[in-house]
Coordinates of all heavy atoms in Angstrom, one line a residue:
M1 N 6.0 11.5 6.0 CA 6.2 10.5 4.9 C 4.9 9.8 4.5 O 3.9 10.0 5.2 CB 7.3 9.5 5.3 CG 7.0 8.6 6.4 SD 8.5 7.6 6.9 CE 8.7 8.3 8.5
E2 N 5.0 9.1 3.5 CA 3.8 8.4 3.0 C 4.0 7.1 2.4 O 5.1 6.8 1.9 CB 3.0 9.3 2.1 CG 3.7 9.9 0.9 CD 2.9 11.0 0.2 OE1 2.1 11.7 0.8 OE2 3.2 11.2 -1.0
I3 N 3.0 6.2 2.4 CA 3.0 4.9 1.7 C 2.2 5.1 0.5 O 1.1 5.8 0.5 CB 2.3 3.8 2.5 CG1 2.9 3.7 4.0 CG2 2.5 2.5 1.8 CD1 2.1 2.7 4.8
I4 N 2.7 4.7 -0.6 CA 2.0 4.8 -1.9 C 1.8 3.3 -2.5 O 2.7 2.5 -2.5 CB 2.9 5.6 -2.9 CG1 3.0 7.0 -2.4 CG2 2.2 5.6 -4.3 CD1 4.2 7.7 -3.0
L5 N 0.6 3.1 -2.8 CA 0.2 1.7 -3.4 C -0.3 1.9 -4.8 O -1.3 2.6 -5.0 CB -0.9 1.1 -2.5 CG -1.6 -0.2 -3.0 CD1 -0.6 -1.3 -3.0 CD2 -2.7 -0.5 -2.1
E6 N 0.5 1.3 -5.7 CA 0.1 1.3 -7.1 C -1.0 0.2 -7.3 O -0.6 -0.9 -7.6 CB 1.3 1.1 -8.0 CG 2.3 2.2 -8.1 CD 3.5 1.8 -8.9 OE1 3.4 1.5 -10.0 OE2 4.6 1.8 -8.3
K7 N -2.2 0.7 -7.2 CA -3.3 -0.3 -7.1 C -3.4 -1.1 -8.4 O -3.7 -2.3 -8.3 CB -4.6 0.6 -7.0 CG -5.8 -0.2 -6.5 CD -6.0 -0.1 -5.1 CE -7.3 -0.7 -4.7 NZ -7.5 -0.9 -3.3
S8 N -3.2 -0.6 -9.5 CA -3.4 -1.3 -10.8 C -2.4 -2.4 -10.9 O -2.7 -3.4 -11.6 CB -3.2 -0.3 -12.0 OG -2.0 0.3 -11.9
E9 N -1.3 -2.4 -10.2 CA -0.2 -3.4 -10.3 C -0.5 -4.6 -9.4 O 0.1 -5.6 -9.5 CB 1.2 -2.8 -10.0 CG 1.6 -1.7 -11.0 CD 1.7 -2.2 -12.4 OE1 2.2 -3.3 -12.6 OE2 1.3 -1.5 -13.3
C10 N -1.3 -4.3 -8.3 CA -1.5 -5.3 -7.3 C -2.1 -6.6 -7.8 O -3.1 -6.5 -8.5 CB -2.3 -4.7 -6.2 SG -2.8 -5.9 -4.9
I11 N -1.5 -7.7 -7.5 CA -2.1 -9.0 -7.9 C -2.9 -9.7 -6.8 O -3.3 -10.9 -7.0 CB -0.9 -10.0 -8.5 CG1 0.1 -10.2 -7.4 CG2 -0.3 -9.4 -9.7 CD1 1.1 -11.3 -7.7
G12 N -3.0 -9.0 -5.7 CA -3.9 -9.6 -4.6 C -3.3 -10.8 -3.9 O -4.1 -11.6 -3.5
C13 N -2.0 -10.9 -3.8 CA -1.4 -12.0 -3.1 C -1.7 -12.1 -1.6 O -1.6 -13.1 -1.0 CB 0.1 -12.1 -3.4 SG 1.0 -10.9 -2.5
G14 N -1.9 -10.9 -1.0 CA -2.3 -10.8 0.4 C -1.1 -10.8 1.3 O -1.3 -10.7 2.5
S15 N 0.1 -10.8 0.8 CA 1.3 -10.8 1.7 C 1.4 -9.5 2.5 O 1.8 -9.6 3.7 CB 2.6 -10.9 0.8 OG 2.6 -12.1 0.1
C16 N 1.1 -8.4 1.9 CA 1.2 -7.1 2.7 C 0.2 -7.1 3.8 O 0.6 -6.6 4.9 CB 1.0 -5.9 1.8 SG -0.5 -5.9 0.9
V17 N -0.9 -7.6 3.6 CA -2.0 -7.7 4.7 C -1.5 -8.6 5.8 O -1.7 -8.3 7.0 CB -3.3 -8.1 4.1 CG1 -4.4 -8.2 5.2 CG2 -3.8 -7.2 3.0
A18 N -0.9 -9.8 5.4 CA -0.5 -10.7 6.4 C 0.6 -10.1 7.3 O 0.7 -10.3 8.5 CB 0.0 -12.0 5.7
L19 N 1.5 -9.4 6.6 CA 2.7 -8.8 7.3 C 2.4 -7.5 8.0 O 3.0 -7.2 9.0 CB 3.8 -8.6 6.3 CG 4.9 -9.6 6.2 CD1 5.9 -9.1 5.2 CD2 5.6 -9.9 7.5
C20 N 1.5 -6.8 7.5 CA 1.3 -5.4 8.0 C -0.2 -5.0 8.0 O -0.6 -4.1 7.3 CB 2.1 -4.4 7.0 SG 2.3 -2.8 7.7
P21 N -1.0 -5.7 8.8 CA -2.4 -5.4 8.9 C -2.7 -4.0 9.5 O -3.8 -3.5 9.4 CB -2.9 -6.5 9.8 CG -1.8 -7.0 10.6 CD -0.6 -6.8 9.7
K22 N -1.7 -3.4 10.1 CA -1.9 -2.0 10.6 C -2.3 -1.1 9.5 O -3.1 -0.2 9.7 CB -0.6 -1.5 11.3 CG -0.8 -0.1 11.9 CD 0.5 0.3 12.6 CE 0.5 1.8 13.0 NZ -0.4 2.1 14.0
F23 N -1.6 -1.2 8.4 CA -1.9 -0.3 7.3 C -2.6 -0.9 6.1 O -3.3 -0.2 5.3 CB -0.5 0.2 6.7 CG 0.3 1.1 7.7 CD1 1.6 0.8 7.9 CD2 -0.3 2.1 8.4 CE1 2.3 1.6 8.8 CE2 0.4 2.9 9.3 CZ 1.7 2.6 9.5
F24 N -2.6 -2.2 5.9 CA -3.1 -2.9 4.7 C -4.3 -3.8 5.1 O -4.3 -4.5 6.1 CB -2.1 -3.7 4.0 CG -0.9 -2.9 3.4 CD1 0.2 -2.6 4.2 CD2 -1.0 -2.4 2.1 CE1 1.2 -1.9 3.7 CE2 0.0 -1.7 1.6 CZ 1.2 -1.4 2.4
E25 N -5.3 -3.8 4.2 CA -6.4 -4.8 4.2 C -6.7 -5.1 2.8 O -6.3 -4.4 1.8 CB -7.6 -4.2 5.0 CG -8.2 -3.0 4.3 CD -9.3 -2.4 5.1 OE1 -9.6 -2.9 6.2 OE2 -9.9 -1.4 4.7
M26 N -7.5 -6.2 2.6 CA -7.9 -6.5 1.2 C -9.3 -5.8 0.9 O -10.1 -5.7 1.8 CB -8.1 -8.0 1.0 CG -6.9 -8.9 1.3 SD -5.4 -8.4 0.3 CE -5.8 -9.0 -1.3
D27 N -9.4 -5.3 -0.3 CA -10.7 -4.7 -0.6 C -11.7 -5.7 -1.2 O -11.3 -6.9 -1.4 CB -10.5 -3.4 -1.5 CG -10.0 -3.8 -2.9 OD1 -10.1 -5.0 -3.3 OD2 -9.6 -2.9 -3.6
E28 N -12.9 -5.2 -1.6 CA -13.9 -6.2 -2.1 C -13.5 -6.7 -3.5 O -14.1 -7.7 -4.0 CB -15.3 -5.5 -2.2 CG -15.4 -4.2 -3.0 CD -14.8 -3.0 -2.4 OE1 -14.4 -3.0 -1.2 OE2 -14.8 -1.9 -3.0
E29 N -12.5 -6.1 -4.2 CA -12.1 -6.6 -5.5 C -10.9 -7.6 -5.3 O -10.3 -8.0 -6.3 CB -11.7 -5.4 -6.4 CG -12.9 -4.7 -6.8 CD -12.6 -3.4 -7.6 OE1 -11.4 -3.1 -7.8 OE2 -13.5 -2.6 -7.9
G30 N -10.5 -7.8 -4.1 CA -9.4 -8.8 -3.9 C -8.0 -8.1 -4.1 O -7.0 -8.8 -4.3
K31 N -8.0 -6.8 -4.0 CA -6.7 -6.1 -4.1 C -6.4 -5.5 -2.7 O -7.3 -5.3 -1.9 CB -6.7 -5.0 -5.1 CG -6.8 -5.6 -6.6 CD -6.5 -4.5 -7.6 CE -6.5 -5.1 -9.0 NZ -5.6 -4.4 -9.9
A32 N -5.1 -5.2 -2.5 CA -4.7 -4.5 -1.3 C -5.3 -3.1 -1.2 O -5.5 -2.4 -2.2 CB -3.2 -4.4 -1.2
H33 N -5.6 -2.7 0.0 CA -6.1 -1.3 0.2 C -5.4 -0.8 1.5 O -5.2 -1.4 2.5 CB -7.6 -1.4 0.5 CG -8.2 -0.1 1.0 ND1 -8.2 1.0 0.3 CD2 -8.8 0.2 2.2 CE1 -8.8 2.0 1.0 NE2 -9.1 1.5 2.2
L34 N -4.9 0.5 1.3 CA -4.3 1.2 2.5 C -5.4 1.8 3.3 O -6.2 2.6 2.8 CB -3.4 2.3 1.9 CG -2.0 1.9 1.5 CD1 -1.3 3.1 0.8 CD2 -1.2 1.5 2.8
K35 N -5.5 1.3 4.5 CA -6.6 1.8 5.4 C -6.6 3.3 5.6 O -5.5 3.9 5.9 CB -6.4 1.1 6.8 CG -6.6 -0.4 6.8 CD -6.4 -0.9 8.2 CE -6.6 -2.4 8.2 NZ -6.3 -3.0 9.5
G36 N -7.7 3.9 5.3 CA -7.8 5.4 5.5 C -7.1 6.2 4.5 O -6.9 7.4 4.7
S37 N -6.7 5.6 3.3 CA -5.9 6.3 2.3 C -6.8 7.1 1.4 O -8.0 6.9 1.3 CB -5.1 5.4 1.5 OG -6.0 4.5 0.8
E38 N -6.2 8.0 0.6 CA -6.8 8.7 -0.5 C -6.5 8.0 -1.8 O -5.3 7.6 -2.0 CB -6.4 10.1 -0.5 CG -6.9 10.9 0.7 CD -6.6 12.4 0.6 OE1 -6.1 12.8 -0.4 OE2 -6.9 13.0 1.6
F39 N -7.5 7.9 -2.7 CA -7.2 7.3 -4.0 C -7.2 8.3 -5.1 O -8.1 9.2 -5.2 CB -8.3 6.2 -4.3 CG -8.1 5.5 -5.6 CD1 -7.0 4.7 -5.7 CD2 -9.0 5.7 -6.6 CE1 -6.9 4.0 -6.9 CE2 -8.9 5.0 -7.8 CZ -7.8 4.1 -8.0
D40 N -6.1 8.4 -5.9 CA -6.0 9.3 -7.0 C -6.5 8.5 -8.2 O -5.8 7.6 -8.7 CB -4.6 9.8 -7.1 CG -4.4 10.8 -8.2 OD1 -5.1 10.7 -9.2 OD2 -3.6 11.7 -8.0
T41 N -7.6 8.9 -8.8 CA -8.1 8.2 -10.0 C -7.3 8.3 -11.2 O -7.3 7.5 -12.1 CB -9.6 8.7 -10.3 OG1 -9.5 10.1 -10.4 CG2 -10.6 8.3 -9.3
K42 N -6.5 9.4 -11.3 CA -5.6 9.6 -12.5 C -4.4 8.6 -12.5 O -4.1 7.9 -13.4 CB -5.1 11.0 -12.5 CG -6.1 12.0 -13.1 CD -5.5 13.3 -13.3 CE -6.6 14.4 -13.5 NZ -6.2 15.7 -13.0
T43 N -3.7 8.6 -11.3 CA -2.6 7.7 -11.2 C -2.9 6.3 -10.8 O -2.1 5.4 -10.8 CB -1.5 8.3 -10.2 OG1 -2.2 8.4 -8.9 CG2 -1.1 9.7 -10.6
E44 N -4.1 6.1 -10.3 CA -4.6 4.8 -9.7 C -3.7 4.4 -8.5 O -3.4 3.3 -8.4 CB -4.7 3.7 -10.7 CG -5.7 4.0 -11.8 CD -6.0 2.8 -12.7 OE1 -5.7 1.7 -12.3 OE2 -6.6 3.1 -13.7
E45 N -3.3 5.4 -7.7 CA -2.5 5.2 -6.6 C -3.2 5.6 -5.3 O -3.9 6.6 -5.3 CB -1.2 6.0 -6.6 CG -0.2 5.5 -7.6 CD 1.0 6.4 -7.7 OE1 1.0 7.5 -7.1 OE2 1.9 6.0 -8.5
E46 N -3.0 4.8 -4.3 CA -3.5 5.1 -2.9 C -2.4 5.7 -2.2 O -1.2 5.2 -2.3 CB -4.1 3.9 -2.2 CG -5.4 3.4 -2.7 CD -5.9 2.2 -1.9 OE1 -5.2 1.8 -0.9 OE2 -7.0 1.8 -2.2
T47 N -2.6 6.7 -1.4 CA -1.6 7.4 -0.6 C -2.0 7.5 0.8 O -3.2 7.9 1.1 CB -1.3 8.8 -1.2 OG1 -1.0 8.7 -2.6 CG2 -0.1 9.4 -0.5
L48 N -1.2 7.1 1.7 CA -1.5 7.3 3.2 C -0.3 7.9 3.9 O 0.8 7.5 3.8 CB -1.7 5.9 3.8 CG -2.0 5.8 5.3 CD1 -3.4 6.4 5.5 CD2 -2.0 4.4 5.8
E49 N -0.6 9.0 4.6 CA 0.3 9.8 5.4 C 0.6 9.0 6.6 O -0.3 8.5 7.3 CB -0.2 11.1 5.8 CG -0.4 12.1 4.7 CD 0.9 12.9 4.4 OE1 1.8 12.9 5.3 OE2 1.0 13.5 3.4
I50 N 1.9 8.8 6.9 CA 2.3 8.0 8.2 C 3.4 8.8 8.9 O 4.1 9.6 8.2 CB 2.8 6.6 7.9 CG1 3.9 6.6 6.8 CG2 1.6 5.7 7.4 CD1 4.6 5.2 6.6
S51 N 3.6 8.6 10.2 CA 4.6 9.3 10.9 C 5.8 8.3 11.1 O 6.9 8.7 11.3 CB 4.1 9.8 12.2 OG 3.5 8.8 12.9
K52 N 5.5 7.0 11.2 CA 6.5 6.0 11.3 C 6.3 4.9 10.3 O 5.1 4.5 10.1 CB 6.5 5.3 12.7 CG 7.1 6.2 13.8 CD 7.0 5.4 15.1 CE 7.4 6.2 16.3 NZ 7.1 5.5 17.6
T53 N 7.3 4.3 9.7 CA 7.1 3.3 8.7 C 6.6 2.0 9.3 O 5.9 1.3 8.6 CB 8.4 3.1 7.9 OG1 9.4 2.7 8.8 CG2 8.8 4.3 7.1
E54 N 7.1 1.7 10.5 CA 6.7 0.4 11.2 C 6.8 -0.8 10.2 O 7.7 -0.9 9.5 CB 5.3 0.6 11.8 CG 5.3 1.7 12.9 CD 4.0 1.9 13.5 OE1 3.5 0.9 14.2 OE2 3.5 3.0 13.4
C55 N 5.7 -1.5 10.1 CA 5.7 -2.7 9.3 C 5.6 -2.4 7.8 O 5.8 -3.4 7.0 CB 4.5 -3.7 9.7 SG 2.9 -2.8 9.6
A56 N 5.4 -1.2 7.4 CA 5.3 -0.9 6.0 C 6.6 -1.2 5.2 O 6.5 -1.6 4.0 CB 5.0 0.6 5.8
E57 N 7.7 -1.1 5.9 CA 9.0 -1.5 5.2 C 9.0 -2.9 4.8 O 9.5 -3.3 3.7 CB 10.2 -1.2 6.2 CG 10.3 0.2 6.7 CD 11.3 1.0 5.9 OE1 11.7 0.6 4.8 OE2 11.7 2.1 6.5
E58 N 8.5 -3.8 5.7 CA 8.4 -5.2 5.4 C 7.5 -5.5 4.2 O 7.7 -6.3 3.4 CB 8.0 -6.0 6.6 CG 9.0 -6.0 7.7 CD 8.4 -6.3 9.0 OE1 7.7 -7.3 9.1 OE2 8.6 -5.5 10.0
A59 N 6.4 -4.7 4.2 CA 5.4 -4.9 3.1 C 6.0 -4.5 1.7 O 5.8 -5.2 0.7 CB 4.2 -4.0 3.3
V60 N 6.8 -3.5 1.7 CA 7.6 -3.1 0.5 C 8.4 -4.2 0.0 O 8.5 -4.5 -1.2 CB 8.4 -1.8 0.8 CG1 9.4 -1.5 -0.4 CG2 7.5 -0.6 1.0
E61 N 9.1 -4.8 1.0 CA 10.1 -5.9 0.6 C 9.4 -7.2 0.2 O 9.9 -7.8 -0.7 CB 11.0 -6.2 1.8 CG 12.1 -5.2 1.9 CD 12.9 -5.3 3.2 OE1 13.1 -6.5 3.7 OE2 13.3 -4.3 3.7
I62 N 8.3 -7.5 0.7 CA 7.6 -8.7 0.4 C 6.8 -8.7 -0.9 O 6.6 -9.7 -1.5 CB 6.7 -9.2 1.6 CG1 6.4 -10.7 1.6 CG2 5.4 -8.5 1.7 CD1 7.5 -11.6 2.1
C63 N 6.3 -7.5 -1.3 CA 5.4 -7.4 -2.4 C 6.1 -8.0 -3.7 O 7.1 -7.5 -4.1 CB 5.0 -6.0 -2.6 SG 3.9 -5.8 -4.1
P64 N 5.5 -9.0 -4.3 CA 6.1 -9.7 -5.4 C 6.2 -8.8 -6.7 O 6.9 -9.1 -7.6 CB 5.3 -10.9 -5.6 CG 4.0 -10.6 -5.1 CD 4.3 -9.7 -3.9
V65 N 5.3 -7.8 -6.8 CA 5.3 -7.0 -8.0 C 5.8 -5.5 -7.7 O 5.6 -4.6 -8.5 CB 3.9 -6.9 -8.6 CG1 3.5 -8.3 -9.2 CG2 2.8 -6.5 -7.6
Q66 N 6.4 -5.3 -6.5 CA 6.9 -4.0 -6.1 C 6.0 -2.8 -6.4 O 6.4 -1.8 -6.9 CB 8.2 -3.7 -6.9 CG 9.4 -4.5 -6.4 CD 9.8 -5.7 -7.2 OE1 9.8 -5.6 -8.4 NE2 10.1 -6.8 -6.6
C67 N 4.7 -3.0 -6.0 CA 3.8 -1.9 -6.2 C 3.5 -1.1 -4.9 O 2.7 -0.2 -4.9 CB 2.5 -2.4 -6.8 SG 1.5 -3.5 -5.7
I68 N 4.3 -1.3 -3.8 CA 4.3 -0.5 -2.6 C 5.5 0.3 -2.5 O 6.6 -0.2 -2.7 CB 4.1 -1.4 -1.4 CG1 2.9 -2.4 -1.5 CG2 3.9 -0.5 -0.1 CD1 2.9 -3.5 -0.4
K69 N 5.4 1.6 -2.3 CA 6.5 2.5 -2.1 C 6.4 3.3 -0.9 O 5.3 3.6 -0.4 CB 6.7 3.4 -3.3 CG 6.6 2.8 -4.7 CD 7.9 2.9 -5.4 CE 8.2 1.8 -6.4 NZ 7.1 1.4 -7.3
I70 N 7.5 3.7 -0.3 CA 7.5 4.6 0.8 C 8.3 5.9 0.4 O 9.4 5.8 -0.1 CB 8.2 4.0 2.1 CG1 7.4 2.8 2.6 CG2 8.2 5.1 3.2 CD1 8.0 2.1 3.7
K71 N 7.6 7.0 0.5 CA 8.2 8.3 0.2 C 8.5 9.0 1.5 O 7.7 9.2 2.3 CB 7.2 9.1 -0.6 CG 7.9 10.2 -1.4 CD 7.0 10.7 -2.6 CE 6.3 12.0 -2.1 NZ 5.3 12.4 -3.1
K72 N 9.9 9.3 1.7 CA 10.3 9.9 2.9 C 10.5 11.4 2.7 O 10.7 11.8 1.6 CB 11.5 9.2 3.5 CG 11.2 7.8 3.9 CD 12.3 7.1 4.6 CE 12.0 5.7 4.9 NZ 13.1 4.9 5.4
Ligands
SF4_101 S1 1.9 -7.7 -1.5 FE1 1.7 -6.4 -3.3 S2 0.7 -7.7 -4.8 FE2 0.4 -8.7 -2.8 S3 -1.6 -7.9 -2.1 FE3 0.0 -6.5 -1.3 S4 0.2 -4.9 -2.8 FE4 -0.9 -6.5 -3.8

């Protein structure tokens, strides 16, 4: 499965980083970044392959603009 972050929608609130530092950190532009992810310049999405959702489920729920998705 994978975590998908719609980078263009992120407002940089930092909630996902606070709840789920295993997968998320803030980048130099003040937006969320999925650690070790690939960035698709066309869709402006970051994608990270994961084997367990762990704290990512909480990040999905907390994000105020719903720009984090988990694809199973
Ligand atoms: S919770 Fe959502 S809006 Fe806030 S930093 Fe994370 S991805 Fe961006």
